[in-house]
Amino acid sequence: MDVLIADDHPLYRSGVKTLLESAGACRVVGEARTGGEAVALAGRLRPHVVLMDVNLPDISGIEATRAIVGRCPDTAVVVVTMLEDRDTFLSAMRSGARGYLLKGADSKELRRAIDVVHAGSVLFDSHVADWVVEYLTKPPAAQDPFPELTARERAVLELVADGKGNAVIARELGLSVKTVRNYLSRIFAKLRLVDRTEAAVLARRAGLGR
């Protein structure tokens, strides 16, 4: 089975490749350092499964997953991340991921995830299984206008809708200005926006801001 690994840490990529290939029946056909590389390699190599990190340079793993699923319907994506929060999990699944694992999974868990998603089913890490039950049994009362955004990204967007600059947003949310800029870049990419003016208009139309 052909596998593509997308992660910006070379040691992690190397370790996962060794785990998979030593277990047999898996062949790592490519390694991507960025979200853009992952999309390009998936389109060229057409692997059976992509193991996708979330925090990647240029575009996020969530956006890369959405692009790969749209362009390569026969390729299944498993998000493998250190982010143990339900917003990231839900964003990953909405983007079309077939599986969600936390980093630290051993070769047996990785191989099982690959087999399950390749067979057309879905697999969640045991740590997030409770979130799935909660989401299915207790759906949000109000419709989220931007389900692809995390809670922190929505908080940044709401302050943008209020007309606040990066320095003010950073102070109010307890972040650095650089981190705010990174959040804005992700928001623009996810919502396909050009600049903060367009973001503010879209957010206000959706009811965000004062």
Side-chain angles (χ1 to χ4, degrees):
M1 192 181 308
D2 293 346
V3 176
L4 170 66
I5 302 171
D7 196 287
D8 61 341
H9 292 91
L11 288 178
Y12 180 79
R13 294 197 309 271
S14 176
V16 171
K17 180 178 180 180
T18 300
L19 281 175
L20 292 178
E21 294 189 337
S22 64
C26 275
R27 183 168 68 109
V28 176
V29 295
E31 298 179 35
R33 298 167 298 171
T34 70
E37 282 185 8
V39 175
L41 285 175
R44 180 163 59 86
L45 300 173
R46 300 285 168 161
H48 296 104
V49 176
V50 177
L51 299 180
M52 178 75 72
D53 191 16
V54 172
N55 290 326
L56 294 174
D58 62 30
I59 64 173
S60 72
I62 302 297
E63 280 300 298
T65 296
R66 184 176 290 109
I68 290 171
V69 170
R71 299 176 190 181
C72 311
D74 293 330
T75 296
V77 179
V78 177
V79 169
V80 186
T81 178
M82 294 183 69
L83 299 177
E84 192 175 350
D85 71 272
R86 69 190 66 200
D87 282 331
T88 301
F89 165 71
L90 292 174
S91 293
M93 303 316 293
R94 289 186 186 111
S95 72
R98 303 289 299 177
Y100 191 96
L101 288 178
L102 298 179
K103 283 187 176 179
D106 59 26
S107 59
K108 184 178 179 180
E109 292 172 309
L110 283 171
R111 182 54 206 274
R112 178 169 177 264
I114 290 169
D115 288 341
V116 167
V117 301
H118 180 54
S121 298
V122 296
L123 183 140
F124 310 124
D125 189 283
S126 59
H127 290 84
V128 303
D130 290 341
W131 302 343
V132 179
V133 174
E134 181 179 347
Y135 181 73
L136 292 175
T137 59
K138 298 179 181 179
Q143 182 65 36
D144 184 353
F146 304 113
E148 59 269 67
L149 300 184
T150 66
R152 183 50 62 93
E153 287 166 350
R154 284 195 297 275
V156 171
L157 181 59
E158 185 155 9
L159 292 175
V160 169
D162 286 337
K164 295 180 179 179
N166 289 358
V168 176
I169 294 173
R171 185 169 62 251
E172 292 199 11
L173 297 180
L175 304 170
S176 69
V177 173
K178 180 180 179 181
T179 300
V180 172
R181 286 198 296 265
N182 289 338
Y183 275 124
L184 286 172
S185 295
R186 290 185 217 163
I187 292 168
F188 295 165
K190 289 182 178 182
L191 301 182
R192 295 176 175 81
L193 301 172
V194 175
D195 54 31
R196 69 188 303 127
T197 300
E198 189 176 357
V201 171
L202 181 66
R204 285 195 292 268
R205 285 177 178 169
L208 298 184
R210 297 171 185 168

